[in-house]
Amino acid sequence: RRYGRALTLVMFDIDRLGQLNAALGHDVGDEAIARFGSILTDSCRLTDLVARTDGAEFACLMPDTEGKWGTLYAERVRAAVAAARIPGGLTCSAGVAQWRDAEDPEALVARAGQALYRAKHQGRDRVLTADARAA
């Protein structure tokens, strides 16, 4: 807000990680999480902040980035995960939100989370933006 720059938040969720853990064990699930995290960090810029936020959820905070570029990053990650042949054939879903003027941080997180929730419920293995209409 202070510098008037764009900021985008991308929230990711590894699809069906719980099922993988149940079928093949937590060691395989842990390997899948580690590989997913590597894909995220290898795909982002040095100025981006990648963090694991929950069991199968991750976030990437992208300063000086408009939402459309965050969406391209998320699509690149989604494609890399599909190509990586992570055990169990795991995929990922993502929600993207660009910070709005005068928006508080919680609202940005909520909008990205809602987009992620819609992506999961529209079939997984997809990227949706906070401003896209729900199907």
Side-chain angles (χ1 to χ4, degrees):
R1 185 179 303 165
R2 177 184 297 165
Y3 299 110
R5 295 182 178 155
L7 177 72
T8 294
L9 174 63
V10 183
M11 295 181 71
F12 293 94
D13 187 76
I14 302 172
D15 298 326
R16 297 184 172 95
L17 181 63
Q19 291 174 355
L20 176 74
N21 283 335
L24 300 177
H26 287 276
D27 288 345
V28 175
D30 289 348
E31 179 186 338
I33 290 169
R35 290 186 62 196
F36 183 77
S38 293
I39 290 170
L40 284 179
T41 57
D42 290 347
S43 301
C44 72
R45 306 167 302 178
L46 292 176
T47 56
D48 298 334
L49 175 65
V50 173
R52 184 175 178 193
T53 59
D54 197 7
E57 292 185 5
F58 293 75
C60 181
L61 192 60
M62 307 177 80
D64 295 320
T65 304
E66 293 182 10
K68 65 182 178 182
W69 300 114
T71 301
L72 286 173
Y73 163 73
E75 284 289 355
R76 190 167 55 244
V77 167
R78 189 196 61 72
V81 168
R85 299 180 188 218
I86 293 175
L90 292 181
T91 59
C92 71
S93 299
V96 182
Q98 181 177 333
W99 179 76
R100 297 175 176 163
D101 289 337
E103 180 176 49
D104 61 31
E106 292 83 11
L108 174 65
V109 171
R111 289 189 309 109
Q114 290 165 356
L116 173 59
Y117 179 82
R118 285 194 333 269
K120 299 288 284 185
H121 288 278
Q122 288 182 19
R124 298 179 177 88
D125 193 23
R126 65 191 65 224
V127 174
L128 292 180
T129 65
D131 298 323
R133 292 187 178 167

